[in-house]
Amino acid sequence: QSALTQPPSASGSPGQSVTISCTGTNSDVGGYNYVSWYQQHPGKAPKLMIYEVSKRPSGVPDRFSGSKSGNTASLTVSGLQAEDEADYYCSSYAGSMIGVFGTGTKVTVL
Amino acid sequence: EVQLVQSGAEVKKPGESLRISCTASGYSFNTYWIGWVRQMPGKGLEWMGIIYPDHSDTTYSPSFQGQVTISVDKSISTAYLQWSSLRASDTAMYYCARLRYASGSTYYMDVWGKGTTVTVSS
């Protein structure tokens, strides 16, 4: 399984929106509605932000939203705040019980 | 509170063996998959493999098949990641995470341990 493709970086000013893409294949992102997104601050463990493409776990602000079209999933962070500055990783089910992560995107709040 | 507590940092020499642990609490350990994720220094997350504690059913990523062994001890709600002969390239942070999986229904990691740093150096 090859890693899903994400842009290395994205940025926005406080209050703006930023969207991160996650491109896979018909065998992972395009084949299942099991895309999840994780936020990782430096030196910290990843934290689940979105699961099943667009669902938010309890406690995750509604500024975070997810979507999918074909083989590409997206995470949008609206109303950017300083604490949103972190690395973000997508992940997808890839069949046969195996998962795959994206290459990661560093989000900078300008 | 649902949590996964990982064992402490390890410093090993090439060729040595190692087993790191991940102890669960606050939920029914036997009925949720546990996964292991590698993060090499300055790099991204890599999916290594998963285990279902109730019957030790295990699946490995092709990249890690034969390189590591994942196991559990249900009696103490603990999952393990093991190497028989470490290499310098195994130097990384290793996370365990609870995997929510139901065939045809869902697949995501909802609870993460804080990670175990493994350093392999001569």
Side-chain angles (χ1 to χ4, degrees):
Chain A
Q1 277 70 23
S2 298
L4 309 175
T5 300
Q6 298 180 232
S9 63
S11 62
S13 299
Q16 289 187 332
S17 294
V18 64
T19 297
I20 304 166
S21 62
C22 169
T23 301
T25 69
N26 289 334
S27 298
D28 39 62
V29 174
Y32 309 92
N33 287 322
Y34 302 152
V35 175
S36 49
W37 289 88
Y38 303 88
Q39 177 192 64
Q40 187 180 35
H41 286 110
K44 300 296 186 181
K47 174 187 176 184
L48 176 69
M49 304 302 284
I50 295 286
Y51 66 100
E52 292 174 16
V53 176
S54 60
K55 296 179 180 179
R56 276 179 292 105
S58 174
V60 172
D62 60 6
R63 303 184 292 103
F64 292 84
S65 62
S67 63
K68 192 187 86 166
S69 177
N71 294 340
T72 299
S74 298
L75 173 71
T76 297
V77 186
S78 305
L80 266 175
Q81 299 183 5
E83 59 263 35
D84 299 333
E85 186 162 295
D87 293 327
Y88 291 83
Y89 295 90
C90 62
S91 181
S92 175
Y93 182 59
S96 302
M97 294 299 299
I98 291 174
V100 61
F101 285 102
T103 50
T105 298
K106 181 176 180 59
V107 169
T108 301
V109 180
L110 302 172
Chain B
E1 179 192 5
V2 175
Q3 59 178 350
L4 299 173
V5 177
Q6 297 190 232
S7 50
E10 300 275 2
V11 179
K12 292 289 190 178
K13 297 186 186 308
E16 292 186 331
S17 62
L18 175 65
R19 188 177 76 170
I20 61 175
S21 66
C22 170
T23 300
S25 62
Y27 72 97
S28 177
F29 176 73
N30 288 0
T31 58
Y32 289 83
W33 292 81
I34 289 282
W36 286 94
V37 176
R38 183 176 78 175
Q39 187 167 38
M40 299 177 76
K43 302 298 184 182
L45 305 176
E46 298 174 89
W47 196 97
M48 300 178 71
I50 56 174
I51 189 164
Y52 191 70
D54 199 37
H55 45 66
S56 294
D57 190 17
T58 309
T59 298
Y60 296 92
S61 162
S63 301
F64 292 94
Q65 179 80 49
Q67 308 305 308
V68 297
T69 300
I70 296 172
S71 61
V72 293
D73 184 337
K74 292 189 294 184
S75 68
I76 54 172
S77 300
T78 298
Y80 300 100
L81 179 64
Q82 181 174 331
W83 295 260
S84 59
S85 181
L86 286 160
R87 310 172 189 177
S89 58
D90 293 317
T91 295
M93 176 72 83
Y94 293 88
Y95 294 101
C96 64
R98 187 175 74 170
L99 175 69
R100 302 297 294 271
Y101 169 70
S103 180
S105 171
T106 196
Y107 192 96
Y108 59 94
M109 291 177 166
D110 66 340
V111 179
W112 291 68
K114 294 184 185 299
T116 296
T117 299
V118 174
T119 303
V120 184
S121 174
S122 55

